[in-house]
Amino acid sequence: MQFGIFTVGDVTPDPTTGREPTEHERIKAILTIAQKAEEVGLDVFALGEHHNPPFIPSSPTTMLGYIAAKTEKLILSTSTTLITTNDPVKIAEDFATLQHISDGRTDIMLGRGNTGPVYPWFGQDIRQGIPLAIEHYALLNRLFREDVVDWSGKFRTPLQGFTATPRPLDDVPPFVWHGSIRSPEIAEQAAFYGDGFFANNIFWPKEHYMRLIGYYRQRFEHYGHGTAAQAIVGLGGQAFIRKNSQDAKDEFRPYFDQAPVYGNGPSMEEFTEQTPLTVGSPQEVIDRYASMRDYYGDYQRQLFLMDHAGLPLKTVLEQLDILGEEVVPVLRKELAVNRPAEVPDAPTHASLLAAKKTRDAAAAEQQLVSQEA
Amino acid sequence: MAERTIAVISAGLSKPSSTRLLADRLGDAAARRLIERGDTVKVEVIELRDLAHDITNNLLTGFPSSQLESAIEKVLTADGVIAVTPIFTASYNGLFKSFFDIIEPGSLIDMPVLLAATGGTARHSLAIDYALRPLFAYLHADVASTGVFASTDDWGSDEDGVKPLPERIDRAAEELVGLVTRSTRSKVLHDPWALPAGFRPNGPAGLE
């Protein structure tokens, strides 16, 4: 089971002081936060991609490349990489490069993006969001696996004899997650390829995600990648933690009340009841997230959104200390209890490389047998 | 002969409201006619006032509370809808529009609908036709040609001696029942998880 954090990279004024960090400060803060994630024992850091203010991560692999150099074990991922408006060729190049720089500590979470104008800014049409996601990924998947690609589709100029360089590290493509809030097409796509499925989980009630994840698991089995229980599921989450529950609520409330996404809407109490946002003591956060598998089945990756809504860097780092030291170690233990043996861990470069070696050895043996015969 | 559900949506803001009063009259009139035909009828009333906070929250967060979700579900699974709003500033009120704004696009296609509105004077009666009717045309609902407008005077002396309110209610209910009994919408399975026809998860443009 992997635990980590994901960020959207918003520049938001601190509602308690009115102070807005500069873009420079925010970029540096995110780099600090990622390094802190490794320091406190988290497994994954995922960075969003946006092309409009108030967000800063328009060039995720630049930032992830720096983080790769500053860390040893942290897996670098995205939340999400826009498969619709990016050229799949550029995604293949950027992430294969990052894979080499990070010695394999790279995976990708693909998403469509829901900011209307970003599509026309990049020459696309939001009404084609799903067809773009399907076609672009079909190409990306081949660019990662085939040395020479001939390809033509509806959205991109054709390729003849194209080789994406560098080739993936050890000829093992980075593992891909597909993120979706509501589209069965994307769950179907993830299941078809045997890729991971990430349910953002933080904006909708659990019943909605239970249906979406249930659908993905069922289709994963249908496409022959394993049983439904073996499908690779990731979940988003959100917490604000202090030793005393009431302190957490008091401190987080002004941030919640004016948060860009849900501010001035439901009360913090309503929102924490309806979504996985948990504001309270370490034990409350542990209890909430230990129960997620009751709804979604045993899963592979839990990411938390910790640095948004204008929370100052100092607070975020304190939150990561609590998350890494008091919450995640207990969750690791609790989620290991009664976890069926058949449920795999999230694929990593090491596990995918080992699987490839086993496959290659079996193929070589097969060839030897047929030569002898 | 059939089990049918009529969803009655009232966007009245006061309690009690004349909008709810008109909504109940229309619901009763439609139910009576269906029962006369031998149907079993359930009338589900959705008071938008009770859901006003949830509706605003849904506009801001993008998802419904469980209470709001169940109200939306009642509307979408009904065999016919009676939609009633007070006329504010020359149109339906904001609460009424907000409720329809959060319903998934396309989910009211072919739904039999009866439109009704209340207002201070009969001068607002055309709002049904220039404001409500285009909204439901956009939603591709199957709308009864008669809309019922009740002004304050309609509840007292028969302001309209030729076509008093009860007659207008009867006529509209008759039309709605006609639409409901002819409709095949309820027999079609609505699967929000169905993939589009021809969808292929690895095809060019996601198609076969």
Side-chain angles (χ1 to χ4, degrees), chain A residues 204, chain B residues 7 9 46 48 51 54-55 58 62-78 81 98-105 107-108 111 185:
Chain A
W204 283 66
Chain B
I9 301 166
I46 293 124
L48 297 187
L51 298 165
D54 289 347
I55 289 168
N58 190 346
F63 68 84
S65 66
S66 56
Q67 201 192 353
L68 177 57
E69 192 176 28
S70 94
I72 293 171
E73 192 64 17
K74 279 178 190 164
V75 174
L76 301 191
T77 56
V81 169
S98 295
F99 180 70
F100 288 98
D101 284 347
I102 59 175
I103 290 181
E104 194 73 13
S107 53
L108 282 172
M111 173 66 85
R185 181 185 180 277

Side-chain angles (χ1 to χ4, degrees), chain A residues 188-260:
Chain A
E188 180 81 10
Q189 180 188 35
F192 174 84
Y193 288 100
D195 293 341
F197 184 71
F198 188 87
N200 148 305
N201 199 27
I202 64 179
F203 297 136
W204 283 66
K206 64 178 180 304
E207 290 74 17
H208 172 81
Y209 289 110
M210 284 165 70
R211 289 191 289 263
L212 199 56
I213 291 169
Y215 178 85
Y216 158 71
R217 287 187 181 280
Q218 180 201 330
R219 300 301 289 169
F220 182 92
E221 181 166 316
H222 166 84
Y223 283 115
H225 300 295
T227 65
Q230 290 170 326
I232 307 297
V233 172
L235 293 178
Q238 211 179 350
F240 190 86
I241 326 160
R242 288 295 182 200
K243 189 161 176 285
N244 298 315
S245 185
Q246 195 55 47
D247 291 344
K249 290 182 175 67
D250 292 345
E251 186 178 345
F252 189 62
R253 191 178 303 278
Y255 296 93
F256 177 90
D257 285 347
Q258 292 181 51

Side-chain angles (χ1 to χ4, degrees), chain A residues 299-312:
Chain A
Y299 59 111
Q300 281 73 22
R301 176 175 283 186
Q302 174 69 56
L303 301 183
F304 292 94
L305 177 64
M306 304 297 288
D307 70 324
H308 64 125
L311 287 166

